[in-house]
Amino acid sequence: MRRSTAAVAIGAVLALAGCATDEPTAVASGAASQAAGSGTGAQSKFFVQADYDKELALLGATPTGPAGKPWEQVLEPSMVETAKFKKPGPYKICFSNAGLNNPWRQVGFKTMQAEVETHGRQIKQFVHVDAEGKDQKQIADINDLLGKGCDALIVSPNTTATLTPAVEAACSKGLPVIVFDRGVDSTCPVTFINPIGGYGFGHVAADFISKRMKPGGKVLALRILPGVDVLETRWSAAKVAFDKAGVDVIGVEFTDGDPAKTKKIVNDYIQRYGTIDGVWMDAGAVAVAAVEAFVDAGRPVPPINGEDQLDFLKMWKDKNLTAIAPTYPTYQWRTPIIAALRVLNGEPVSSPWKLPQPTITQDNLGEYIDADMPPLHYAVCGCTDLPGYPQRWK
């Protein structure tokens, strides 16, 4: 499915030494931070009004599909026929993965592996190739898989434009290709699977923070990297919300996903301004570090957003934070396996396949905290009913 400029690329630049987008789509961006007091600045070149409008509308849409199984649900389905791909099983399903270089992707891949196990009679072999965050390796991986007798190919692209020709080459072989997490600039895949996207994430967090501040209140925006589409769309949606609310964005700083750098940035702003009324983040992996900076300085923690990484959720509860956690759920890693089997059975699938994107709030926080799971586990994994839970995810 052709991905718009604003479609989500990863998943998640959610945790990092290299953010959950693995940083490959980052491009040169001038200054590393926006000057304090300069406001939200110019809108991102990644911003597309129509995509923004559609994603915000999807936040209120009712999904179709089985209750309690959001990885099988679809928002505004648009079904396509797949009868031409029907063939007898069991099947060999191949997966070209952008990387396993951060906790979000590691949790997701464990979830995918467990989903494969639930289809033992239909899947005779599951082949996974890790591109290690490298475009050229993933291109070579896909080319190699084309000669391995795969019945279906799943791709989570490392970057969009560079991987598009390799995906199109796979499609040209008559192989059903399913893309998820990040898209490609082509209509040839049978479907593109991902949650609502970056605009939805950025809006939910910024709207929450803005409504808990007075007009003119001071907001510090913490970002991971410039030029990464999922992060740019998150920030561009937040910019719209902050501009509308009339808050004072005192700084937009890039943390590189580094907890120590994050704490230093926050401490510098505390020293400079004394009071900060809100902290917005385009990815939650360093949310704990941001909170710790306020605690260490003896200052109240302002309204803040993180994600569904458990270390943040536990801190939120323990310190009774005013917080919200929009998510980019790792349960999306189940859906490509389900979609591949439906395609090989000749059953229609939605194209695109937009999944629900839950938000964790004070009201439902307790539902997502599992004290027995490790700090870097992602709570919205949809994995508790899968083989090997919880040990596999520990």
Side-chain angles (χ1 to χ4, degrees):
M1 182 69 190
R2 180 176 177 80
R3 195 193 76 157
S4 70
T5 305
V8 171
I10 126 88
V13 187
L14 302 175
L16 157 106
C19 67
T21 49
D22 318 318
E23 294 120 6
T25 53
V27 296
S29 163
S33 67
Q34 182 173 305
S38 62
T40 57
Q43 184 54 281
S44 169
K45 66 180 182 180
F46 287 79
F47 183 77
V48 178
Q49 185 70 49
D51 293 341
Y52 167 86
D53 293 340
K54 184 172 184 179
E55 285 194 18
L56 265 58
L58 285 175
L59 289 170
T62 300
T64 62
K69 296 183 177 181
W71 51 89
E72 292 188 38
Q73 295 174 355
V74 188
L75 296 168
E76 297 186 357
S78 176
M79 308 306 287
V80 296
E81 294 298 325
T82 66
K84 66 180 181 179
F85 297 114
K86 184 176 182 179
K87 62 191 302 185
Y91 307 109
K92 180 177 181 178
I93 295 179
C94 301
F95 174 38
S96 171
N97 189 0
L100 290 171
N101 46 4
N102 58 68
W104 185 87
R105 301 194 72 84
Q106 292 160 12
V107 170
F109 183 58
K110 290 174 183 177
T111 301
M112 177 181 278
Q113 289 175 301
E115 177 66 34
V116 168
E117 289 185 18
T118 69
H119 303 281
R121 293 184 178 181
Q122 292 180 282
I123 300 175
K124 64 182 178 182
Q125 189 177 2
F126 176 64
V127 177
H128 166 251
V129 186
D130 178 5
E132 302 173 356
K134 302 172 183 176
D135 283 346
Q136 293 307 313
K137 185 176 186 310
Q138 189 166 31
I139 291 169
D141 288 345
I142 291 173
N143 288 337
D144 183 62
L145 288 172
L146 295 183
K148 300 294 186 181
C150 304
D151 293 306
L153 175 64
I154 297 169
V155 180
S156 177
N158 192 52
T159 63
T160 295
T162 306
L163 267 297
T164 294
V167 169
E168 290 182 327
C171 293
S172 71
K173 303 296 184 182
L175 187 67
V177 178
I178 294 160
V179 173
F180 87 103
D181 172 29
R182 312 169 196 173
V184 292
D185 291 325
S186 176
T187 59
C188 81
V190 178
T191 186
F192 170 41
I193 299 164
N194 74 336
I196 291 172
Y199 293 117
F201 182 109
H203 168 81
V204 166
D207 184 63
F208 173 87
I209 292 168
S210 298
K211 288 178 177 177
R212 283 151 184 82
M213 299 169 53
K214 295 179 180 179
K218 301 179 182 66
V219 174
L220 174 60
L222 298 176
R223 303 188 55 198
I224 297 291
L225 288 171
V228 180
D229 58 0
V230 63
L231 300 181
E232 293 289 352
T233 55
R234 289 178 182 184
W235 168 239
S236 61
K239 170 184 162 53
V240 173
F242 288 141
D243 286 346
K244 182 178 180 180
V247 302
D248 179 13
V249 178
I250 57 175
V252 182
E253 300 283 349
F254 292 98
T255 69
D256 301 325
D258 182 342
K261 183 174 181 179
T262 300
K263 292 182 74 170
K264 184 179 186 306
I265 290 170
V266 175
N267 186 63
D268 287 347
Y269 275 82
I270 292 172
Q271 295 300 316
R272 194 180 313 172
Y273 290 94
T275 298
I276 297 174
D277 303 300
V279 175
W280 179 91
M281 310 186 75
D282 67 1
V286 292
V288 166
V291 172
E292 289 174 343
F294 285 96
V295 173
D296 292 349
R299 307 294 298 179
V301 182
I304 188 172
N305 75 279
E307 284 188 79
D308 57 316
Q309 193 166 290
L310 277 181
D311 59 352
F312 174 70
L313 301 185
K314 291 174 181 177
M315 177 174 277
W316 174 357
K317 180 181 179 181
D318 292 345
K319 295 189 178 300
N320 195 28
L321 302 178
T322 299
I324 196 167
T327 69
Y328 192 64
T330 50
Y331 63 55
Q332 67 185 281
W333 290 69
R334 298 185 67 167
T335 314
I337 300 299
I338 295 166
L341 292 175
R342 290 184 184 178
V343 169
L344 292 170
N345 285 323
E347 302 171 18
V349 296
S350 183
S351 179
W353 188 326
K354 279 288 184 181
L355 299 165
Q357 186 167 299
T359 297
I360 301 175
T361 67
Q362 185 64 46
D363 291 339
N364 63 15
L365 174 61
E367 300 173 19
Y368 293 96
I369 295 177
D370 186 342
D372 293 329
M373 297 302 285
L376 300 185
H377 181 67
Y378 281 80
V380 190
C381 66
C383 58
T384 57
D385 66 332
L386 288 171
Y389 184 87
Q391 288 76 18
R392 184 194 296 263
W393 287 263
K394 290 184 177 183

